[in-house]
Amino acid sequence: VARKTKLKILFPEPSREDYELASKLYTHPEVAARLRVMKELIKSHESILLFTNTRAVAEVLASRFKVWDVDFPVSIHHGSLAKPVRVTAERGLKAGELKGLVCTSSLELGLDVGRIDFVIQYMSPRQVTRLIQRVGRSGHRVGRMAEGVIITSDPDDTLEAMVIAKRAYLEELEPVKIPDKPLDVLAHQIAGFLVQRRRWTFNELLEIVRRAHPYKDLTLGELKAVVEYMHSRYPRLAWASFEDRVLLRPKRLKELYEYYFGEMSMIPDERQYLVIDESSDAPVGILDEAFMAEYGEPGTKFIVRGSPWMIKSVRGDRIYVRPIKDPTGAIPSWIGEEIPVPFEVAQEVGSIRAYIEEGVKAGKPPEKLVEELGGMYFADKGTILKACLETIEQARKGHPVPTDRRVVIEDWDEYVILSCHFGSLVNRTLARLLGHVLSEELGCTVGIQQDPYRIIVQVVEGAGKEEVASALRRLSRFKGGAEGLIREATVKTGLFKRRLIHVARRFWALSKWADASNVSLRQLAKSFEGTAIFQEALKETCDKDLDVPRTIEVLRRIEKGEIELAILEGGKGPSPIARLGLERISQKTDLVPPEKMKRIVVEAAKARILNEVRTFLCASCWKFVKMMAMKDLPEGFSCPLCNSKSIATLQETEEEVLKVLAKKAKSNREKKLVEEAKAAADLYRRYGRVVAYVLAGKKLNLSDARRIASEYPEV
């Protein structure tokens, strides 16, 4: 039975005070307006969850709140944070000490965080199921109503949120997609069978495995492919006789046990790379493995923390870069994490634009159009009007409007912009196809970027909108099998490389921390070609990162004329809707002057460290143990029980430390913890709370604390 739900969509407009706040928070007035609205909502409710779509956005939002007011009662919660920070945040919200948590999908379900009376979704939730799950965390009592608001950032975002909110009310959820016959999981399960029993026949394995729904259609050939890998690798994970169709436990059991118990999770471990300015040897930011797999080659230009850089070399988990003045073609660094917008949602956004275009052509005033849309979607008139302004402007200029049945192609500078409402995965697949076809024809690399509503192609001289439109038409008429072409294009991409590395790790063909940047995709793909690993990686890429069936359907509809390709002629700049997409990209690649960036980084780091939570332990009496935020640590703090200054700062939670202290016979890991506590306490006794601040920093250890504390003893 559906719950009663109350939803609102807000698209905040900057006021005069937001311009003043923006300069204080080192951000845009539009962002300041959104922060102000959210702060007011948090103050007016007892307990809220503020959901974001990525960890990067959660970190930025939380830091902006803390730069604004270090004592504002909100904290942050996501999977990458230290356990004491997460535990303290959960307890604080439950006890009423905090009024809100900035969080990601880590708080969508499972954890009991007390009574939540309101949910804020920052920017479109991108999927109906996400919105229902997140807003459903509020009013979680019999007879109570789930209540929430979506704070949107631009017209695309607002139209998308309107569609998703309507679909949530109509209970039109995205279908659950169950992975079909994942072979890496099968390899792990076979290892488990061999741990349990020494000898299995192929028929016994098939009979058991086919009882599980995802494997109901598993063929003998697919089982053999997995067994072949386990049998032929060194050291073996299984010994197989293919003539007798028998699988035996290998003689060397150590590797089998290590593989089975060491690979219990199918969630991939993602490496992070430290970006270092080679001229000053100073760190400038962090990139994740998804970005490195796709773009991590010398010569790539990218934006991190508001500045443009070029990759010079990659050594281990360090990327050496140099600053550049020309950011043209630079890629924003946080790409791989975003939740995909479904095809149906993007199509409905296109149908709203078609409705507006028809209304403008029929001479309807904007107020009338907004009133009509207000009867269909759950947003106030002011919000709907702001979301529709670019579409109204485009229609009034007589330009073709991109809709669910029309793709608009136009030139702008060195780019060709295709405005197409096909969603994240179809647009990504189409972009890869176009990039592949154009690069083959032009004999050079073609840069592509996409979002759910457009594809941007960076073309070489001599190519433009006509050539891109021609390539798209040829693709729609391609009779050699578009699916084969998509696969051919896919295996050349960084997306495939990333999935291949994940699958190879899960099969134990690569160590857990094998360096994605040092692995040549060509060599890797060649070494695994024809194996279950290659087969599974390709399937995973097509299932999770692309949408092959829908892309083929879109190409078929273009060929039949059901989807029109409209080329926008003339014009001194991009059309209003294309301009919106370019502004979206420019916000991601927002360039900030170095002196301003230094202030932002310092203020944000200060705010974050002061709100970090660590466990403090007296290494003299060993009786005082307490979790505290750094901002609550008084100057000259000593043990309240024995007055000793030997205070250790630890990452572990209070409960974990108390368990270790209670045990007389300690394991090696627990002995190591005690030794680390003694060393940290010794440093604190000598230098004071600067040591605690350093140990609350990211990836800083005792030797870092000793060096920094000796240089800056007074804090």
Side-chain angles (χ1 to χ4, degrees):
V1 177
R3 284 187 68 198
K4 285 186 178 178
T5 304
K6 186 179 177 184
L7 286 171
K8 197 174 179 183
I9 298 165
L10 294 177
F11 184 2
E13 189 79 34
S15 63
R16 184 177 293 175
E17 65 177 292
D18 293 323
Y19 282 85
E20 293 169 15
L21 179 61
S23 62
K24 181 184 174 183
L25 300 180
Y26 315 109
T27 188
H28 299 283
E30 291 81 7
V31 177
R34 297 198 287 271
L35 285 166
R36 174 180 52 79
V37 169
M38 288 189 283
K39 192 174 183 182
E40 288 165 3
L41 285 167
I42 291 166
K43 281 181 172 179
S44 64
H45 290 88
E46 282 184 30
S47 182
I48 70 108
L49 291 178
L50 198 170
F51 281 101
T52 68
N53 294 332
T54 67
R55 291 172 183 179
V57 173
E59 289 278 4
V60 168
L61 269 190
S63 96
R64 289 286 189 273
F65 278 128
K66 293 302 181 182
V67 169
W68 188 359
D69 177 4
V70 76
D71 294 318
F72 188 55
V74 297
S75 189
I76 186 168
H77 191 290
H78 62 70
S80 296
L81 293 170
K83 195 173 178 183
V85 180
R86 296 200 308 272
V87 169
T88 306
E90 291 157 20
R91 284 180 187 168
L93 193 68
K94 205 170 179 180
E97 294 160 10
L98 295 173
K99 283 184 75 75
L101 288 183
V102 182
C103 54
T104 59
S105 51
S106 62
L107 281 185
E108 270 183 13
L109 48 100
L111 284 168
D112 175 16
V113 284
R115 293 188 180 189
I116 305 296
D117 64 334
F118 197 71
V119 166
I120 300 172
Q121 166 64 45
Y122 185 67
M123 297 165 70
S124 158
R126 300 173 79 86
Q127 292 174 354
V128 181
T129 47
R130 297 267 175 182
L131 179 64
I132 287 177
Q133 187 67 53
R134 291 173 177 187
V135 174
R137 301 255 20 204
S138 64
H140 217 264
R141 293 286 183 280
V142 174
R144 293 282 298 276
M145 186 186 289
E147 192 176 352
V149 65
I150 306 171
I151 307 285
T152 60
S153 62
D154 62 38
D156 273 357
D157 204 40
T158 309
L159 290 172
E160 185 177 292
M162 284 161 53
V163 169
I164 288 170
K166 177 190 155 190
R167 285 172 169 257
Y169 276 116
L170 296 174
E171 299 175 46
E172 293 176 1
L173 310 187
E174 292 85 19
V176 176
K177 196 172 181 183
I178 297 167
D180 184 44
K181 298 184 278 190
L183 301 181
D184 42 8
V185 177
L186 181 60
H188 188 260
Q189 289 298 297
I190 291 171
F193 290 146
L194 290 171
V195 166
Q196 183 187 9
R197 203 175 86 195
R198 185 179 161 275
R199 183 183 185 278
W200 294 84
T201 67
F202 287 10
N203 286 341
E204 283 176 319
L205 292 174
L206 277 174
E207 189 186 338
I208 294 171
V209 171
R210 281 175 180 164
R211 289 181 203 159
H213 176 79
Y215 296 97
K216 64 184 187 301
D217 300 321
L218 185 74
T219 65
L220 179 62
E222 286 163 334
L223 177 70
K224 279 183 174 178
V226 174
V227 169
E228 171 68 38
Y229 161 73
M230 297 177 77
H231 172 80
S232 57
R233 80 185 292 282
Y234 179 82
R236 279 181 176 151
L237 294 175
W239 192 93
S241 168
F242 291 95
E243 295 80 13
D244 302 324
R245 294 190 179 184
V246 169
L247 193 67
L248 298 171
R249 188 190 290 163
K251 282 185 179 178
R252 293 172 61 170
L253 288 177
K254 183 170 175 274
E255 284 75 19
L256 179 69
Y257 277 69
E258 281 180 354
Y259 165 58
Y260 184 70
F261 291 104
E263 293 291 329
M264 297 297 274
S265 172
M266 291 294 123
I267 299 169
D269 290 300
E270 295 266 22
R271 284 176 70 115
Q272 288 192 319
Y273 294 81
L274 189 63
V275 182
I276 295 173
D277 181 354
E278 67 173 10
S279 59
S280 61
D281 209 33
V284 294
I286 288 171
L287 292 177
D288 64 16
E289 191 170 62
F291 181 87
M292 285 303 292
E294 184 121 22
Y295 305 106
E297 294 176 1
T300 297
K301 290 192 257 184
F302 67 98
I303 310 283
V304 70
R305 289 204 171 161
S307 300
W309 305 87
M310 181 183 280
I311 297 177
K312 294 293 289 176
S313 62
V314 182
R315 295 171 226 160
D317 59 0
R318 291 175 175 239
I319 304 159
Y320 289 88
V321 298
R322 68 173 176 82
I324 53 170
K325 289 181 180 175
D326 175 25
T328 309
I331 305 152
S333 61
W334 54 86
I335 280 180
E337 223 187 326
E338 292 182 341
I339 300 161
V341 175
F343 176 79
E344 294 83 1
V345 169
Q347 283 278 280
E348 192 169 340
V349 170
S351 70
I352 293 174
R353 287 193 161 131
Y355 186 86
I356 294 165
E357 183 186 31
E358 284 167 22
V360 170
K361 283 180 178 176
K364 287 183 185 177
E367 295 74 21
K368 178 68 176 168
L369 283 168
V370 165
E371 191 180 324
E372 289 171 359
L373 285 167
M376 295 183 253
Y377 295 95
F378 307 95
D380 61 69
K381 290 178 183 177
T383 297
I384 294 173
L385 180 61
K386 277 194 291 177
C388 298
L389 284 175
E390 281 80 3
T391 311
I392 292 167
E393 185 189 348
Q394 184 137 336
R396 279 179 171 171
K397 284 184 174 181
H399 296 327
V401 171
T403 69
D404 53 330
R405 296 185 178 187
R406 183 191 292 139
V407 176
V408 176
I409 305 170
E410 60 188 284
D411 279 328
W412 178 74
D413 204 14
E414 62 188 72
Y415 301 97
V416 174
I417 303 163
L418 296 91
S419 296
C420 42
H421 290 70
F422 302 137
S424 303
L425 301 185
V426 172
N427 276 3
R428 185 186 281 157
T429 314
L430 262 183
R432 295 296 176 282
L433 268 176
L434 275 173
H436 175 67
V437 169
L438 288 167
S439 63
E440 291 283 318
E441 289 175 3
L442 300 170
C444 60
T445 304
V446 174
I448 45 171
Q449 288 191 50
Q450 77 284 321
D451 69 21
Y453 307 104
R454 57 196 59 81
I455 297 168
I456 298 178
V457 184
Q458 189 175 6
V459 291
V460 292
E461 211 172 312
K465 60 190 175 190
E466 299 288 350
E467 286 72 22
V468 172
S470 173
L472 193 51
R473 286 194 187 96
R474 282 198 307 281
L475 279 171
S476 69
R477 294 193 294 267
F478 185 65
K479 300 298 181 193
E483 196 166 339
L485 192 63
I486 291 170
R487 289 175 186 275
E488 190 183 316
T490 300
V491 296
K492 294 180 180 179
T493 64
L495 290 169
F496 175 68
K497 177 183 179 181
R498 180 186 175 215
R499 293 293 179 194
L500 189 62
I501 288 167
H502 289 169
V503 171
R505 282 178 186 156
R506 291 200 287 261
F507 265 103
W508 238 39
L510 282 177
S511 77
K512 189 176 277 192
W513 297 115
D515 189 352
S517 62
N518 281 349
V519 179
S520 158
L521 177 59
R522 197 178 287 109
Q523 290 171 348
L524 195 68
K526 201 169 181 182
S527 63
F528 291 134
E529 209 164 337
T531 68
I533 295 172
F534 189 94
Q535 185 182 335
E536 182 58 32
L538 188 57
K539 186 171 70 176
E540 202 168 296
T541 309
C542 290
D543 287 350
K544 293 184 179 179
D545 299 315
L546 308 171
D547 189 339
V548 178
R550 279 255 167 72
T551 304
I552 292 167
E553 175 63 14
V554 164
L555 291 172
R556 186 191 63 76
R557 287 174 63 194
I558 290 171
E559 185 193 9
K560 285 187 167 184
E562 293 171 13
I563 294 175
E564 176 194 352
L565 296 187
I567 296 177
L568 198 147
E569 300 297 344
K572 292 185 179 178
S575 66
I577 292 174
R579 186 178 67 230
L580 176 62
L582 293 166
E583 282 169 7
R584 266 189 147 191
I585 289 172
S586 71
Q587 280 174 15
K588 280 191 172 183
T589 58
D590 182 30
L591 300 177
V592 183
E595 63 281 358
K596 187 178 175 186
M597 178 49 65
K598 190 173 181 181
R599 288 205 305 276
I600 294 171
V601 171
V602 169
E603 289 298 323
K606 180 182 173 184
R608 189 187 60 75
I609 285 172
L610 287 175
N611 283 278
E612 282 285 339
V613 175
R614 292 292 183 269
T615 300
F616 292 89
L617 164 69
C618 176
S620 179
C621 68
W622 301 95
K623 291 177 183 175
F624 171 74
V625 182
K626 188 179 180 183
M627 278 166 51
M628 275 194 294
M630 291 295 152
K631 66 182 179 187
D632 299 328
L633 182 66
E635 191 176 350
F637 178 71
S638 58
C639 174
L641 302 178
C642 71
N643 212 32
S644 169
K645 295 269 190 197
S646 294
I647 303 292
T649 308
L650 301 172
Q651 288 255 15
E652 287 70 21
T653 63
E654 197 175 310
E655 288 83 355
E656 288 168 337
V657 173
L658 286 168
K659 277 181 190 173
V660 172
L661 295 177
K663 288 171 73 174
K664 290 179 181 175
K666 296 177 176 57
S667 68
N668 288 335
R669 191 182 68 80
E670 289 161 346
K671 284 176 184 173
K672 189 180 176 186
L673 176 67
V674 172
E675 291 305 314
E676 282 178 3
K678 287 177 181 174
D682 182 53
L683 281 179
Y684 182 90
R685 193 178 68 252
R686 288 168 62 189
Y687 297 109
R689 63 181 177 175
V690 65
V691 171
Y693 290 153
V694 176
L695 292 175
K698 289 183 178 175
K699 296 188 176 181
L700 294 173
N701 55 31
L702 287 169
S703 61
D704 296 318
R706 185 179 292 106
R707 177 177 54 79
I708 294 167
S710 63
E711 291 178 35
Y712 304 96
E714 298 298 324
V715 171

